[in-house]
Amino acid sequence: MTNYIIRRLLLVPVLLIGVTLIIFGMLQLLGPVERSALYVTDFPKNEKQIEGIIKKYGLDEPFFNQYWRWLTGVEDPVTGERDGGILYGDFGYSRTASQEVIGIIQNRFPNTVDLALWTVFPMLSVGIWMGVKAAVNQNKFFDQAARIYSIIGTSFPTFVFGLLLLMLLYANNQWFLPGKMSDWVSQLVYSGEFKQYTKLLSIDALLNLRFDVFWDAMRHMIMPIITLSYISWATFVRVTRSSMLETLRMDYVTTARAKGLKENDVINKHARPNAMLPVVTMMGGSIVGLLGGVVITETVFNYPGIGKAAAEAASQLDVVTILGLAIFTGFILIISNLIVDILYAFIDPRVRLS
Amino acid sequence: MTENEVLIQVDDLKMHFPIYRGVIRRQVGAVRAVDGVSFKIHRGETLGLVGESGCGKSTTGRTMLQLYQPTAGKVFYEDIELTALKNEPMRHMRKNVQMIFQDPYASLNPRMTIRDIVAEPLVAFGTASGKAIDERVRELMGLVKLDPDFMLRYPHEFSGGQRQRIGIARALANNPSFIVCDEPISALDVSIQAQVINLFEDLQKELDLTYLFIAHDLSMVRHISDRVAVMYLGIIVELADRNEIYKNPIHPYTKALLSAIPVADPDFYETHDRIVLEGDVPSPANPPSGCRFRTRCPIAESYCAESRPEFKEVSPGHFVECFKWDHPDNKRR
Amino acid sequence: MTEMTTIPSGDNQLLEETKSDRKITWLERILGPDNYRIVTGLFKTPASIIGFVLILIFILVAIFAPVIAPPVGSDPMKIPRDGFSGEPKGPGAEWKRNVPEIPFWYTPLTGNEEWVHLLGTAQGQYDIFYGIIWGTRTAFQTGIIVVVATVLIGVILGSIAAYYGGWVDNLIMRITDIFMTLPYIMMALIFSSVLTPILGRSLWPPLIAMITFGWMGYARIIRSDILSIKERDFVLAARASGVKNGRILFKHILPNAIFPTLVLASLGIGDVVLGFAALSFLGIGTEIGYADWGQVLSFARNWITVLNRYWFIVVYPGLTLTFFVMGWNLVGDAMRDVLDPRMRGKS
């Protein structure tokens, strides 16, 4: 198992370099003039200035020079000050959001985490429960219903589902709300009375013992949570069910029954743990996806997370922000995938004992 | 069958499969599947190669045909050294040396018709083309007693015994002289086995074939072999004429194998003891020192661990690798 | 055939045995055993029949679009606009400007002499019915282009990796890993918006973006299938027969290894269309007013607070999209069920 973990760890630098290269490479497809315009806050009107910017940021130099510069920044030969450099934590300045990119990340990422936090439990528990129940009751009513649900669920576009939810639960009667927080809450937060321990609104609300704030946070998050969950449920049902069915067909399950075990024990002690392995892999993927891939859901619900920030930056062609957010997200995903893979090593006895 | 010309010669053939461990996949050892095997096969004869699962007999057959790259040793066909040939010349040698596989369900491409399967060796060398291919396929199917009208069917429409015969037809396509038969009847129903063995013998007579017949069961090879070699853990422990080995086995392992063949006579066991071997087969990655069989041998001594016995010709044509080949402990059956 | 008369006695039994009981239909002869199973399997379960029917309906709509929704103006892919008013009109609203011709089926079916907006309009007076009908063509175009391209790239890379092994395999797999780490939608979004200034606003930026980030699944699956097929006896037998390596790959390995990839591809069309619709919804990709379901849906973004009033902007294109994807998913699932038990055991 240690070998597996070591080899998995060695993959991380490869992934990091590869990811940064790809993202940086995409941006290089734009010519130097366009890119120059996006590195400064107001677009200079004459050629001389544009050339100056190109020179300063080395925008017409060979690929790897620019890559290196982007990583380490530009050092002013006179003052010795460093301007830029991803490795130094400087992600640049966002034209569209009028703040440092790192600021965008700091403000928005906790919101995405908050949403992910509250999605994980409903997503996993309901999905797996449905799948196991469907497999155990194969071809009976629950199974048929579950299978229909899984077909519809995987075909239904998330943003349409989101729009329908908005139509039903918001447009009509305002039970649940898009966005992150009501006006009174944001005033409260920025007034300083509300202590932001974790920057996760829901957790902070609990820590501040403000249950009204907590409920407001929930009201804003329920619709995105359901939207994110329903499609996972559909996929989970399918994978759990088929994995469970395959396991139930195995000889060792028949043996367990022949030994005289109660059916409940056969299912819960023998079949389910083995059936869970592919499901766990999928679970890992879903959770990781929550952190990096919720662009659409956040946009539909106007939820101020990292995904929506990326969508805004992309539609305005804010190169700097796009780069910064993409790198950050890539980094988060590499780490989460690593954690998931390592945890998986502990779960799967075939890896653990090799 | 009566010519004494040597068709196949195997010299000290070794096939080691590396074992990789560790983060950077270093080679830490090797599975020594075939660890120094030598024999000759004469034109027209059948050499039976017997041993338990994992002793290396299938690997020997495949390595001889260069389907695996041998770790060491030489293989000769007539006077051509197969092991020295590069890829393309070796490919051409495959007109002369062929193989029949054990699993009739896995050795035929399920998506090809019988005709295409049997014709493939012809197409590979351009031995026949156009109509001649169909004629030849019919001829081959007739040889193995399959109705040629079934040419355009698919493998899954046939039974195991029939599929095996399709495999035989394929092997015969380019008129090979030598065929390695890798446990060809082990996967068949017992009732079919005898018929297929008969087919093998008939074909041998008709087409002047030479066989290496691999099996895990001594009774299976008895009928068809001229000589028999017994393998254990990658080496040959005994080699003798067929009658000699059944009447006069010397190596304790051969004796144990023979005694495992059930005799349908209750009185027989009043005067004969079953020899039951103790212990498990050692790992081929780490064979015992000295004589490999000593860990399970009923008559092993301490000196058996010190060095490997010589592969000795103890009587004309009868070779044994055992220190105690003429020891009183080593009783005759 | 004359050989048979010289068989020694007792062997006639072998010959009798070869008469096979199973009747083989002519269709199976032509298609081959595998494809035959797929075709019959596809028509066995009600689910897959429904899927098939759905896809068929969409194909017909795409083909007969000019008849169902006669084009107004030179480019049928530009949704016709009834004026420029910003207020969406509901289904059945009058069509005053830029009215198309009346197709033969219109009056008998609807009982109206003049065109109305059958499904309503969005802001800017884009007719939703037209958007949906012509959007079918866009869906097929994008789905097929992206899937074919990604399957090709994936199969080529995966085959190279499996065939050569060693450092080539390692390199290709690491590259695949890197691409897989990145979140698909975000990357497609970014790449698409980067390409738009270069290529202009058309279908191509999102298509290229989706192709660039969508081939990895196919590469992995074909690679693992090739690796496992490579070890099968019939491949070894082909080598022993003297067949050349290239022919082994194309005649023995690939035809047997390709099926899981095909299953993935059929499910992939649904995913691609969903993804493309998502990108259009986000405003990346085609220009406003292009006949694409995601594009029509993006009109709804302006009316979030009053969605119950303008529900038709969401419901009609949304249902269309869902049914389209569902059709492909049903067929893909059925294919998977047909091939799965087979993949798992004897040939």
Side-chain angles (χ1 to χ4, degrees):
Chain A
M1 180 172 75
T2 21
N3 284 333
Y4 172 82
I5 293 183
I6 292 179
R7 266 187 284 119
R8 187 61 187 79
L9 283 173
L10 286 179
L11 199 54
V12 172
V14 175
L15 290 177
L16 281 173
I17 297 179
V19 160
T20 51
L21 275 175
I22 290 179
I23 295 177
F24 191 73
M26 285 199 296
L27 272 301
Q28 291 302 96
L29 290 176
L30 298 173
V33 178
E34 290 146 323
R35 279 180 288 129
S36 72
L38 304 164
Y39 270 96
V40 287
T41 42
D42 44 17
F43 185 58
K45 291 298 193 317
N46 66 56
E47 295 240 347
K48 264 280 164 49
Q49 283 186 293
I50 298 178
E51 266 180 47
I53 293 169
I54 294 180
K55 269 279 161 339
K56 177 175 179 201
Y57 290 100
L59 294 176
D60 54 355
E61 286 183 32
F63 182 86
F64 276 106
N65 291 31
Q66 298 198 42
Y67 178 65
W68 185 251
R69 189 179 316 251
W70 174 65
L71 283 179
T72 56
V74 176
E75 202 169 300
D76 192 311
V78 176
T79 59
E81 256 179 46
R82 198 165 278 279
D83 177 17
I86 296 281
L87 294 181
Y88 292 92
D90 185 346
F91 282 67
Y93 187 85
S94 168
R95 170 170 57 87
T96 51
S98 304
Q99 56 173 155
E100 298 277 324
V101 172
I102 195 90
I104 300 180
I105 295 176
Q106 282 170 335
N107 285 333
R108 307 287 206 105
F109 186 62
N111 293 338
T112 304
V113 174
D114 201 3
L115 187 60
L117 202 64
W118 292 100
T119 310
V120 168
F121 186 67
M123 188 171 82
L124 297 182
S125 57
V126 174
I128 297 181
W129 168 78
M130 272 208 275
V132 172
K133 198 154 166 25
V136 170
N137 294 310
Q138 194 186 0
N139 288 326
K140 295 202 209 113
F141 175 72
F142 191 89
D143 183 35
Q144 307 279 30
R147 286 164 79 183
I148 295 179
Y149 171 74
S150 106
I151 293 284
I152 297 182
T154 43
S155 316
F156 217 103
T158 38
F159 56 97
V160 174
F161 188 83
L163 288 172
L164 285 176
L165 274 188
L166 281 172
M167 200 158 73
L168 293 171
L169 301 176
Y170 168 64
N172 249 333
N173 40 38
Q174 305 243 334
W175 285 346
F176 300 110
L177 310 166
K180 174 77 184 152
M181 49 181 118
S182 306
D183 286 332
W184 65 268
V185 175
S186 41
Q187 275 171 8
L188 183 63
V189 169
Y190 293 121
S191 74
E193 267 177 40
F194 186 83
K195 301 238 187 313
Q196 294 193 301
Y197 300 106
T198 59
K199 287 216 136 189
L200 302 172
L201 183 62
S202 56
I203 305 293
D204 285 340
L206 290 176
L207 290 175
N208 272 288
L209 297 180
R210 294 290 305 251
F211 295 104
D212 51 347
V213 175
F214 181 74
W215 174 237
D216 184 69
M218 282 298 130
R219 268 178 88 200
H220 284 95
M221 286 204 285
I222 287 194
M223 288 195 290
I225 290 179
I226 300 179
T227 309
L228 288 170
S229 302
Y230 90 88
I231 193 171
S232 301
W233 291 338
T235 328
F236 269 71
V237 164
R238 182 165 10 119
V239 173
T240 312
R241 177 183 174 277
S242 75
S243 174
M244 194 69 179
L245 280 177
E246 200 178 316
T247 310
L248 286 173
R249 272 202 284 261
M250 293 265 166
D251 281 346
Y252 62 82
V253 172
T254 319
T255 312
R257 284 201 190 107
K259 283 199 292 193
L261 290 180
K262 276 186 289 178
E263 189 64 18
N264 257 348
D265 283 343
V266 172
I267 293 176
N268 290 326
K269 290 208 186 116
H270 286 271
R272 197 159 59 146
N274 287 299
M276 280 304 122
L277 283 176
V279 180
V280 167
T281 318
M282 218 190 61
M283 257 161 58
S286 293
I287 297 179
V288 172
L290 284 179
L291 289 176
V294 291
V295 179
I296 303 170
T297 311
E298 286 186 7
T299 309
V300 169
F301 291 104
N302 214 24
Y303 188 87
I306 281 279
K308 180 152 176 295
E312 288 164 356
S315 64
Q316 309 264 37
L317 218 58
D318 184 347
V319 170
V320 183
T321 315
I322 293 176
L323 257 186
L325 290 177
I327 295 294
F328 178 75
T329 310
F331 182 70
I332 294 289
L333 288 179
I334 292 177
I335 303 274
S336 343
N337 274 319
L338 179 71
I339 297 177
V340 166
D341 282 348
I342 293 187
L343 282 177
Y344 187 75
F346 282 102
I347 298 179
D348 187 344
R350 289 169 295 181
V351 180
R352 191 173 69 221
L353 302 170
S354 69
Chain B
M1 182 89 150
T2 50
E3 295 166 37
N4 281 328
E5 172 203 341
V6 172
L7 183 64
I8 298 286
Q9 176 158 339
V10 174
D11 281 341
D12 204 31
L13 189 64
K14 294 196 179 147
M15 186 63 224
H16 295 174
F17 295 105
I19 305 175
Y20 298 110
R21 280 269 184 278
V23 181
I24 51 171
R25 301 292 203 208
R26 294 173 297 122
Q27 178 173 351
V28 297
V31 172
R32 297 148 79 141
V34 182
D35 209 9
V37 159
S38 309
F39 53 81
K40 296 188 184 118
I41 311 184
H42 304 271
R43 190 180 286 277
E45 80 164 327
T46 301
L47 176 65
L49 184 58
V50 200
E52 52 191 37
S53 304
C55 71
K57 47 193 199 300
S58 282
T59 315
T60 305
R62 292 179 184 196
T63 312
M64 278 170 66
L65 293 189
Q66 309 299 302
L67 291 176
Y68 300 145
Q69 179 81 352
T71 315
K74 297 186 187 178
V75 179
F76 293 88
Y77 171 80
E78 290 177 342
D79 49 3
I80 304 172
E81 187 185 338
L82 298 182
T83 33
L85 291 179
K86 291 217 167 69
N87 283 336
E88 190 58 15
M90 181 61 218
R91 190 178 77 85
H92 279 277
M93 289 306 297
R94 302 204 184 279
K95 284 184 278 202
N96 304 308
V97 297
Q98 267 297 311
M99 185 153 177
I100 295 173
F101 294 82
Q102 175 179 0
D103 186 355
Y105 291 90
S107 54
L108 305 177
N109 186 337
R111 316 190 77 249
M112 289 170 72
T113 56
I114 305 306
R115 179 205 169 276
D116 289 337
I117 291 175
V118 175
E120 194 165 33
L122 301 169
V123 173
F125 294 107
T127 341
S129 51
K131 269 208 175 141
I133 293 186
D134 279 1
E135 274 172 36
R136 178 74 177 137
V137 172
R138 291 186 156 259
E139 196 184 331
L140 290 165
M141 288 179 77
L143 274 180
V144 298
K145 323 279 192 304
L146 284 171
D147 188 341
D149 288 338
F150 292 157
M151 258 202 316
L152 293 177
R153 299 203 173 198
Y154 288 92
H156 68 270
E157 303 179 51
F158 293 91
S159 73
Q162 293 164 335
R163 290 200 217 196
Q164 197 59 296
R165 282 182 277 148
I166 295 168
I168 298 174
R170 171 178 61 189
L172 296 174
N174 278 322
N175 287 319
S177 316
F178 175 65
I179 302 187
V180 173
C181 309
D182 187 0
E183 303 209 49
I185 55 176
S186 304
L188 301 178
D189 286 336
V190 179
S191 51
I192 305 291
Q193 283 178 356
Q195 295 184 351
V196 177
I197 290 258
N198 283 339
L199 179 63
F200 269 96
E201 289 185 313
D202 295 340
L203 289 171
Q204 184 171 39
K205 273 197 252 302
E206 256 182 81
L207 306 173
D208 195 24
L209 297 171
T210 307
Y211 290 144
L212 174 68
F213 198 95
I214 303 176
H216 60 258
D217 181 354
L218 271 177
S219 58
M220 215 182 263
V221 303
R222 181 177 195 154
H223 189 63
I224 193 173
S225 309
D226 299 304
R227 291 188 299 145
V228 176
V230 178
M231 250 182 110
Y232 183 78
L233 219 56
I235 57 167
I236 297 185
V237 294
E238 187 160 6
L239 170 64
D241 285 349
R242 190 255 321 270
N243 291 330
E244 176 71 7
I245 213 166
Y246 284 91
K247 232 180 29 201
N248 216 4
I250 298 182
H251 197 280
Y253 181 60
T254 318
K255 291 195 183 163
L257 281 185
L258 281 172
S259 103
I261 302 175
V263 174
D265 175 7
D267 296 332
F268 180 80
Y269 290 103
E270 308 240 327
T271 43
H272 293 84
D273 285 325
R274 272 286 317 276
I275 304 178
V276 177
L277 295 175
E278 305 200 335
D280 289 319
V281 183
S283 158
N286 197 10
S289 59
C291 171
R292 296 182 181 211
F293 185 58
R294 64 175 175 81
T295 55
R296 303 172 77 195
C297 182
I299 57 172
E301 306 265 358
S302 56
Y303 55 79
C304 296
E306 287 166 25
S307 58
R308 240 178 96 170
E310 187 199 332
F311 192 58
K312 205 177 162 94
E313 186 167 11
V314 300
S315 63
H318 192 152
F319 298 80
V320 185
E321 188 176 308
C322 179
F323 288 121
K324 298 173 91 164
W325 63 270
D326 58 351
H327 198 278
D329 278 353
N330 199 0
K331 299 193 291 281
R332 296 285 186 250
R333 270 180 85 201
Chain C
M1 295 283 275
T2 51
E3 253 108 6
M4 285 201 266
T5 56
T6 61
I7 302 172
S9 64
D11 290 82
N12 286 327
Q13 197 179 350
L14 282 182
L15 193 57
E16 298 288 306
E17 226 188 298
T18 50
K19 294 205 192 356
S20 172
D21 289 327
R22 196 160 89 74
K23 295 223 176 9
I24 314 296
T25 62
W26 60 270
L27 192 62
E28 186 169 357
R29 284 276 150 244
I30 300 182
L31 293 174
D34 277 332
N35 304 328
Y36 179 72
R37 265 162 157 263
I38 294 178
V39 170
T40 43
L42 282 181
F43 288 101
K44 265 192 201 143
T45 44
S48 59
I49 297 181
I50 295 178
F52 224 56
V53 167
L54 280 174
I55 297 181
L56 201 60
I57 294 179
F58 280 106
I59 293 181
L60 290 174
V61 168
I63 296 178
F64 291 109
V67 174
I68 303 175
V72 176
S74 53
D75 186 359
M77 295 313 266
K78 281 196 167 57
I79 307 179
R81 303 175 66 172
D82 182 3
F84 298 95
S85 155
E87 181 89 18
K89 300 215 204 92
E94 253 187 284
W95 196 325
K96 297 200 199 96
R97 275 161 279 224
N98 276 329
V99 189
E101 313 164 354
I102 309 281
F104 68 90
W105 59 268
Y106 185 76
T107 314
L109 214 60
T110 65
N112 285 337
E113 291 286 322
E114 301 285 338
W115 265 106
V116 296
H117 294 292
L118 290 168
L119 303 177
T121 63
Q123 66 272 31
Q125 301 310 308
Y126 292 94
D127 183 71
I128 294 181
F129 177 71
Y130 264 72
I132 290 182
I133 298 295
W134 289 93
T136 312
R137 290 200 171 183
T138 314
F140 274 111
Q141 279 172 348
T142 52
I144 291 177
I145 292 178
V146 173
V147 168
V148 167
T150 46
V151 167
L152 270 178
I153 297 178
V155 167
I156 292 177
L157 286 179
S159 303
I160 295 178
Y163 185 76
Y164 287 103
W167 66 268
V168 175
D169 185 15
N170 226 352
L171 180 67
I172 295 184
M173 280 300 111
R174 290 319 126 229
I175 295 179
T176 312
D177 282 340
I178 293 174
F179 271 85
M180 282 185 101
T181 304
L182 297 166
Y184 182 60
I185 289 287
M186 196 187 276
M187 287 301 121
L189 185 67
I190 293 176
F191 198 31
S192 180
S193 33
V194 165
L195 288 174
T196 308
I198 306 178
L199 299 175
R201 266 196 103 86
S202 66
L203 285 182
W204 289 106
L207 284 182
I208 296 179
M210 292 178 79
I211 293 175
T212 313
F213 289 99
W215 52 269
M216 297 84 72
Y218 301 116
R220 275 198 166 181
I221 216 176
I222 195 93
R223 173 184 171 274
S224 89
D225 286 336
I226 290 183
L227 286 181
S228 68
I229 301 258
K230 223 166 67 152
E231 304 306 318
R232 302 260 287 263
D233 269 359
F234 66 82
V235 173
L236 200 59
R239 274 182 57 206
S241 301
V243 180
K244 285 199 220 175
N245 274 338
R247 192 184 142 95
I248 293 186
L249 184 65
F250 285 107
K251 189 115 212 273
H252 289 273
I253 299 185
L254 276 183
N256 278 297
I258 202 76
F259 282 104
T261 306
L262 291 181
V263 169
L264 214 59
S266 66
L267 293 172
I269 297 191
D271 283 341
V272 166
V273 171
L274 274 181
F276 190 81
L279 288 181
S280 296
F281 177 77
L282 292 174
I284 308 288
T286 60
E287 64 220 330
I288 304 209
Y290 192 88
D292 170 58
W293 299 334
Q295 226 292 301
V296 176
L297 279 164
S298 76
F299 286 129
R301 291 177 72 181
N302 297 47
W303 308 106
I304 302 279
T305 48
V306 284
L307 267 183
N308 47 334
R309 215 191 311 161
Y310 300 127
W311 55 273
F312 45 87
I313 305 183
V314 174
V315 170
Y316 290 127
L319 280 179
T320 315
L321 193 48
T322 307
F323 280 123
F324 185 86
V325 176
M326 206 189 297
W328 287 101
N329 279 353
L330 285 170
V331 169
D333 269 355
M335 265 184 83
R336 192 210 328 251
D337 285 341
V338 165
L339 294 171
D340 205 22
R342 205 165 190 278
M343 290 287 113
R344 212 203 318 244
K346 16 184 206 152
S347 47

